[in-house]
Amino acid sequence: MERLVRFGVSVEEELVREFDEMIKSKGYSSRSEAIRDLMREYLVENRWETGGDHLMLGSLTLLYDHESHDITDKLTHLQHQYQDVVIAATHVHVDEHNCLEVVLLRGTADRVRQVADRLSSLNSVKLAKLNVASVGGGV
Ligand code: NI
């Protein structure tokens, strides 16, 4: 485990009270653990927004009607085109018409964003949600 550093923070009483209530309801065992998670989230968000060469992990959830046009061909074609970033994909037949696909991505922020945008903007995709994460540099 990495060496831990203790630091003091001055915060308004009301803010701390609300924060403590919220983290308790979420099941955090300590304020420190909640703050560590928030710091990681903040760093990852910043890496994502800064873009460039930061190595990111992503999971892109897509919902689409498989009968619609040539959507399955297009999805497959794009995933092959970005095979350096697409590391896995899971497909679930939700009902008679709808398919749910989760595409796992790993690559630079710019490359992950590019493939996620292209997959999400395909005509027959009804819903697209990208979640990103990263590791390294304290995260
Ligand atoms: Ni399906």
Side-chain angles (χ1 to χ4, degrees):
M1 191 178 183
E2 275 188 69
R3 199 169 70 87
L4 295 178
V5 176
R6 294 180 72 92
F7 64 98
V9 180
S10 303
V11 183
E12 292 87 351
E13 199 177 345
E14 176 61 16
L15 184 58
V16 172
R17 197 191 54 74
E18 264 190 63
F19 185 74
D20 283 348
E21 250 174 51
M22 187 205 63
I23 65 174
K24 193 179 165 192
S25 74
K26 285 180 179 280
Y28 277 100
S29 57
S30 74
R31 195 186 283 157
S32 290
E33 184 52 35
I35 289 170
R36 282 195 289 269
D37 281 1
L38 285 175
M39 288 174 78
R40 289 187 193 105
E41 200 178 312
Y42 191 66
L43 287 169
V44 169
E45 204 175 292
N46 185 259
R47 277 178 202 163
W48 177 244
E49 280 167 9
T50 315
D53 288 341
H54 284 305
L55 184 65
M56 303 297 298
L57 303 165
S59 64
L60 177 66
T61 303
L62 301 167
L63 185 72
Y64 61 92
D65 183 341
H66 75 99
E67 286 165 333
S68 171
H69 230 41
D70 48 0
I71 182 69
T72 49
D73 285 350
K74 281 181 176 168
L75 279 172
T76 306
H77 177 71
L78 268 173
Q79 289 183 50
H80 278 271
Q81 210 177 321
Y82 285 86
Q83 47 85 26
D84 58 311
V85 193
V86 175
I87 51 176
T90 303
H91 184 108
V92 178
H93 309 303
V94 178
D95 57 32
E96 207 177 312
H97 306 286
N98 293 297
C99 296
L100 178 79
E101 196 150 314
V102 180
V103 184
L104 301 178
L105 308 162
R106 180 176 57 203
T108 62
D110 287 348
R111 192 87 173 135
V112 168
R113 193 188 314 273
Q114 200 178 54
V115 66
D117 283 348
R118 290 194 66 184
L119 289 166
S120 306
S121 63
L122 288 174
N123 256 344
S124 310
V125 171
K126 297 174 178 176
L127 186 144
K129 178 79 182 163
L130 175 68
N131 285 299
V132 289
S134 75
V135 291
V139 176

